[in-house]
Each structure stands twice: as structure tokens, then as C-alpha cells.
Amino acid sequence: MLGPIVFLLLFHYTVPGVMSVDIPCAARQMEFGTVCVCNSSYCDTVTRPSPLATGSYYHYTTSQDSPGFTRTTGNFIVEDRVYDDNDDHIVFTVNPSIEHQEILGFGGSFTDSSGIVISNMSTEVQDKIMESYFGATGVEYNFGRVPIGGSDFSVRSYTYDDTPFDGDLTHFSLAEEDYKYKIPLIQKAMNITPREIKLIGCAWSSPSWMKTNGAASSGYLLSKYYSSWAKYHIKFLDGYATEGIKFWMITSGNEVFFPLIIQGSFGLNMIIMPMTHRQWVKDHMAPLLQSSNHSNVKFGLIDDMRPFINFWMSRFARYPDTYDLVAGVALHWYWDWISPSFVADDYHKKFPDKLILYTESSINVILFGGQPVELGSWRRGALYAFNIMQNINHWANAYIDWNLVLNTDGGPYISLPLDAAIIVNQTSGEFYKNPMFYTQGHFSKFIPPGSRRIDVQSNQNSSANVTQTGNNFDMKILLGLLTPSPEVSDNSSTPSPLPTFPPFPYIGVPQTVECLATKNPDNSSTVIVFNAKDVAVNVTIADVMAGNITVTMAAQSINSFVYWRNPS
């Protein structure tokens, strides 16, 4: 039972100039915290803020004690008090006249596993999941990552041409998974969203016969198949275009340095080095793209960890003919926790015209401990809030989560189960929105595409380059422990046994208060403040053009303020 109170707000109305009533979270206490429960007939919503008069603001909050989105309104005030660095009152000074990078958007990934899990639910539940992510009453994702072929969140390893030595790709074809799971899900999202969805395609590996080791894992692309590998990407784009789906970008491949670090195989992957990759882009991929029906598709480098980005882009920057072909870098968050964010600052300083796109984040037990799925875990939501805020404040243009949904076992998967923002319970017909859903949703909902980050100064000591582990640890040893589990042979998603790992340093969020501010295309401003402390804090947001907002923010809470200086 969702409780009788929720039925009082089932009537969802809209009056011109008045914001529609949101359906509240149906909260349920789980082992690790509180989730919001949805089923075929009920799911919480959050409507887009409508303009307020100058001097007023919306305040949306989510905390470990207040799941979902709670909205209130308030008025700016004028204060004469000056706070110094020693005061326990935190002041963020927001200056809209100083603009930084464009924010392109936020999203999640259309994996085989997500498609399998969603397709096993009723049509009504499917619609509510997709509305929650992409709809006007959801968090309005506008980015989607799509594996080109199989990934670790498939139920089998596959590529689109597993016929040996088929250099002309005469046997190339999209897989059953594309037609049953990925394409229908993308089409559903496209039909729901009021925004354009930017899709990023990424291949985990070429067919094994194209590689030096003739295997699905590791290996380098053979030079004689450079042209075939480029054609492989074009054929993928052609196949999806036939279904009415166009891509915004394709990338180098998933975690192209990862196989160099792992000792042994770990699912589908392939090693790519920057100079040979530059040759492939220049001589094969770029010319084919330009001569195809996909000449507007962008190209992103690396799809791997932050420490590598300057190494990769510097090797492309030596050659203007290929540097100009690359839009930027795609990153995964896993090594952010042991590396400083000034790596991204250095990248932006050297390559100010190139994008930084975060294309994968996920919670796994190897780095983050605990159980594969921890329903209601506020800590896991806080990890996302902190990481997104840190990266947007250090020049990231977009942020994409991994699986849109998984089942209660953290799958189906090939090698390693994960947690997800939405977990589906097929037995009960319900799905659960974890705190991760809402902490990510604060950014995707209240920072629309085309917004610009604006300057924020604080009376706090900077936490910009803090790392979240108590001490550094050897990632080579850590990742070398990974060994693939048996593949899942069917859609029953029976979990594979996990390897045994020694304990690693705790990865958490430092006890800080972080702030991010944007100027938005609809003439609104958004200020997001994340209180990662275990105590409530007094915060003033001092917008130099609008006035002051002073509030007491709950412990472990994320807060979004939306307001208009001159409503249109």
C-alpha cells in the first residue's frame, strides 16, 4: 500500500501562470534508507518551475530524512551583515556577470540490461519509468549513452559481425538486443521528452578477428582492419537511422586504457593508444563520417579516466588536421575519487575549445563497498551529488549515469553487479527511486540544456581538490583482482558469484558544503547547494544582482534554488 495521503494529490492540474501540483513521493523505509515507490498506477512527479515575480524563489530540497523533491517558495532579503572566514555562517556570492562553460545536459544509458528489465514490466510501469527520467514531470534527462554492440551489461558477449575475417562487413547486422531492448527504449524516450536527446555511441570492442589477440578481451586493432572498423561505426549509425534514431557523438571506445591495467581478461574491451587512434580518426573514421549521412556526428576521445585526458588530447593537439576533428573527451568517474580535479582545470586551460563529457558513473562494491544494491542508501546519492558538482565546477559540460534501471540483484550483468538510480522489483511490479535518482535529478531538472555556469565565491576554505579516500591505493593491484564471472545465459538474471576482494580505503564524501550556480536559457537562475555535513548549516546565497537568500539547510541535503531576475 502506498498510503491514503497520496490519493489526495492524484488530481494533477495546470492553471495558466500557476505551477501544477506535484504528486508526492510514496516513501518506504528499506534496509539502507528511504526510497520512493512507484507502480502501475502511482508515481511521484516534479513539474518544471514556472516563472515567479522578481524577488521570489523556489526552494527544492532532498535529504536523507526527506526523500523525493520537497518544494517551498521564499523571498529575497537584504542583509547588511558581513560574514568573515571564521564565521559558521556560510556565504556563497553568486555573480551572473561572470560566465563560464555551457552545460549541455544530463542523462543515463540505454544498456541491454536496462532494456531487459524494463521490457519485463507492464506497459504502465514502463511508461512511468521513462516519464520519471525523460518526461516533463520527471527529471528531464536529455542525454543517452548507447553501447555499440555488447557491454558488461548485456547477457552475452557479442559484436555486430562475429563472422571471422569479414573485412567487407558483409555479415554486419544489428543484434536482437538492439531491436528488442535498446531501440524501443530510445524511441520511447524520444516520444516522451520535450527536449532533444543527445545520444553518444560507444563500442566496447571490435570483433575479435580484427584484433591482435583474436579474443573478445584486450588486444589491439590490427592496422589492416582500420578501414573495416570505421565502416563498422558507419553501419551502426545507418542501422539506427533507419529506426529514426540519430546520434550526436561517437567515442573512441569504452575505457581504452583499462585492459592495460587489468591482469587478465574482463569482458569485452580493446586497447587503444592515442597516436594509432589519431591515425585511425584522420585516415579512416573522419573521412567516412564526412562522406556519409552522419557528417554532423561529433567524435569524442578516450571514454576512460580523468588522469589520462591531457596525455591523450596533447597528442592530438600536435596535429591540427586531427585536433579539429575531435569535440572533446569522454570521462568515467571511477578514478576521480583518488585524483585531483585540477587535472580538468589544466585540460581546460590548454584546450579551452574542447568539451569534457562525463559518460559513465556507477556504484560498485569494489570501490564503494557494501552490497551490490543498497535500497535507500543516502551515501550513494551523496557520492553523485558531490561528484557532479565538483565536475561541473571544473569545466564539465555534461554528465551521464550508467544503467537507467537494474533489477534487485544489480543486473542482469556479465561480470559485476551494480546499483542504479532506479531498481525494479519484477515480483511486486514496483520500482524504487533511490536517493541517487533525486540527487542527479536536481541537476538535470533545474539546469536546462544551454545553461551557463556562473561564478561563485565562498567564505569557506576551498575543497576543490580534496580526494575522498583517506590515502591513495594501488589501482593496478585493485583492478588486477577482477576476474570475469560466468556469463548469464538467459534473461533470468541469476547473479553470478563475485570474486573475493580485500578491504580498501573507504570512499565517501568530505564534510563540506558545495555550491554550483547557472544562468539558464529561460532567463532563470539556478543555485544548487549540497550540504554534505552531518549537521544543519546556515547558508546565505548572495546574488549580486538579485539579493540574498538565507536558509538553514538540513544535514545531508541537496538544495536547488530557482528564480528569475526579469521574468519574461
Side-chain angles (χ1 to χ4, degrees), residues 365-366 473 478 481 500-506:
V365 298
I366 301 171
F473 55 95
L478 169 64
L481 293 166
T500 301
F501 304 100
F504 292 101
Y506 177 82

Side-chain angles (χ1 to χ4, degrees), residues 160-173 207 209-210 224-236 238 288:
Y160 294 135
D161 192 341
D162 290 322
T163 301
F165 316 119
D166 183 22
D168 293 329
L169 302 180
T170 55
H171 295 279
F172 180 99
S173 64
W209 52 266
M210 289 188 186
K224 66 180 179 180
Y225 290 124
Y226 281 5
S227 178
S228 300
W229 186 225
K231 290 177 183 177
Y232 185 98
H233 285 78
I234 298 299
K235 283 181 171 289
F236 167 79
D238 287 341
L288 276 180

Side-chain angles (χ1 to χ4, degrees), residues 41 125 140 160 278 324 488 548:
S41 61
V125 168
E140 298 192 74
Y160 294 135
R278 187 195 72 82
D324 293 342
V488 179
N548 294 351

Side-chain angles (χ1 to χ4, degrees), residues 197-214:
I197 298 179
K198 287 181 167 61
L199 295 176
I200 299 178
C202 175
W204 265 238
S205 175
S206 72
S208 58
W209 52 266
M210 289 188 186
K211 297 161 69 175
T212 54
N213 65 346

Side-chain angles (χ1 to χ4, degrees), residues 24 159 237 249 256 310 322 383 493 537:
T159 71
L237 296 173
M249 175 181 280
V256 293
N310 289 296
T322 46
L383 288 166
S493 67
V537 294

Side-chain angles (χ1 to χ4, degrees), residues 227 230-232 234 283-293:
S227 178
K231 290 177 183 177
Y232 185 98
I234 298 299
D283 296 336
H284 301 280
M285 191 69 246
L288 276 180
L289 267 179
Q290 289 302 312
S291 63
S292 74
N293 294 325

Side-chain angles (χ1 to χ4, degrees), residues 314-561:
S314 65
R315 279 146 182 78
F316 274 71
R318 297 174 188 172
Y319 305 92
D321 56 348
T322 46
Y323 180 78
D324 293 342
L325 299 174
V326 175
V329 290
L331 299 182
H332 299 181
W333 81 337
Y334 306 107
W335 288 9
D336 288 7
W337 305 100
I338 57 168
S339 65
S341 51
F342 65 68
V343 172
D345 295 336
D346 291 345
Y347 170 92
H348 178 73
K349 183 177 180 180
K350 294 174 184 175
F351 317 112
D353 57 327
K354 300 303 181 185
L355 300 171
I356 298 176
L357 309 169
Y358 268 77
T359 52
E360 183 181 316
S361 300
S362 66
I363 299 289
N364 63 67
V365 298
I366 301 171
L367 291 181
F368 302 102
Q371 299 179 14
V373 174
E374 294 187 352
L375 289 173
S377 170
W378 174 258
R379 172 181 168 249
R380 293 182 172 187
L383 288 166
Y384 273 91
F386 182 81
N387 190 255
I388 295 171
M389 190 164 284
Q390 284 280 299
N391 282 304
I392 299 297
N393 275 328
H394 291 273
W395 304 104
N397 303 92
Y399 198 99
I400 305 172
D401 193 19
W402 189 209
N403 299 280
L404 287 171
V405 308
L406 291 173
N407 63 25
T408 52
D409 294 319
Y413 59 90
I414 288 178
S415 301
L416 186 69
L418 299 177
D419 213 339
I422 289 180
I423 295 293
V424 169
N425 184 335
Q426 186 175 350
T427 302
S428 66
E430 299 173 328
F431 64 93
Y432 311 121
K433 295 180 179 178
N434 271 316
M436 289 183 284
F437 175 87
Y438 296 98
T439 55
Q440 293 180 77
H442 272 265
F443 299 93
S444 60
K445 185 67 181 184
F446 305 124
I447 302 178
S451 300
R452 289 215 166 251
R453 179 170 68 90
I454 55 179
D455 195 68
V456 177
Q457 299 295 322
S458 173
N459 67 339
Q460 299 181 103
N461 292 324
S462 174
S463 64
N465 290 312
V466 67
T467 56
Q468 285 67 66
T469 54
N471 56 307
N472 290 332
F473 55 95
D474 191 332
M475 290 294 289
K476 184 174 182 179
I477 295 174
L478 169 64
L479 297 175
L481 293 166
L482 291 172
T483 54
S485 299
E487 291 184 11
V488 179
S489 60
D490 54 36
N491 292 353
S492 65
S493 67
T494 302
S496 302
L498 286 175
T500 301
F501 304 100
F504 292 101
Y506 177 82
I507 294 179
V509 173
Q511 293 271 308
T512 62
V513 182
E514 303 286 327
C515 182
L516 166 68
T518 63
K519 181 187 290 185
N520 307 327
D522 64 353
N523 205 35
S524 67
S525 290
T526 299
V527 180
I528 302 178
V529 181
F530 174 48
N531 176 18
K533 295 188 176 185
D534 292 327
V535 296
V537 294
N538 297 315
V539 173
T540 290
I541 298 166
D543 187 312
V544 299
M545 295 183 181
N548 294 351
I549 298 171
T550 298
V551 296
T552 298
M553 291 185 181
Q556 294 293 328
S557 68
I558 184 168
N559 304 264
S560 292
F561 301 87

